[in-house]
Structure formats: C-alpha cells, structure tokens
Amino acid sequence: MPSPGPGGSQSSLAGMVVSWLTSQFRTGPKQQPIMGIARCDDLAQLWAEQGRRTEARELLTPVYGWFTEGFDTADLKDAKVLLHELT
C-alpha cells in the first residue's frame, strides 16, 4: 500500500487505506471467498472506528452470510466478533 509521503496528512492516509481496501474487496470475493471476508472485515473495522457502524454492518453481514462452512477459521471468527460488536 502506498504511503502518503513527506508531509502527507493522516486524513489522506485514511483515504488511501479506504481506497485500497475497497479495491481489494472488489476483487477478493470473486477469486477466493476467504480473502474477501478478510478484506471486508478490515474495511468494516475501519468504518466502525470512524463511527460508520451501520455501513460496516451492512458491508460485512451479507459477505459473512456467503459461508456455510469454515467457521473455525480465524477470518470468520474475527468477522463474527465484529458483527456482534456492531449489533
């Protein structure tokens, strides 16, 4: 992920992180669902920290719902915990 460079502000860094996570999320689920949930969880966590809890929950809920197995993996466990925190 690129850095803001010298003199880059915290808000520009946050914007770059959101852009990067969003682009990663768009490609991840189609390629490997478990990677999609990891990226989705990252973006949802960031949004939750920014006070965008409803958006975070609305992003994560359907992606978590894709899964019918693998609930013992770290990524799905993390997503479940975050969803619980967002409700």
Side-chain angles (χ1 to χ4, degrees):
M1 185 172 57
S3 67
S9 72
Q10 187 69 17
S11 62
S12 66
L13 177 59
M16 288 181 356
V17 168
V18 169
S19 294
W20 181 81
L21 286 171
T22 302
S23 71
Q24 294 299 305
F25 173 69
R26 286 186 184 136
T27 58
K30 296 176 186 107
Q31 312 243 330
Q32 297 178 336
I34 199 68
M35 293 301 290
I37 193 72
R39 291 178 180 128
C40 181
D41 187 64
D42 291 341
L43 183 55
Q45 181 68 42
L46 178 64
W47 283 353
E49 291 170 3
Q50 293 175 338
R52 299 169 62 186
R53 297 174 62 79
T54 300
E55 291 170 281
R57 187 178 60 250
E58 289 173 353
L59 173 70
L60 189 54
T61 298
V63 177
Y64 186 79
W66 294 345
F67 293 87
T68 58
E69 60 184 350
F71 294 102
D72 57 338
T73 63
D75 290 330
L76 287 175
K77 286 179 180 179
D78 290 346
K80 182 178 181 179
V81 167
L82 181 55
L83 278 172
H84 180 70
E85 292 172 359
L86 293 170
T87 55

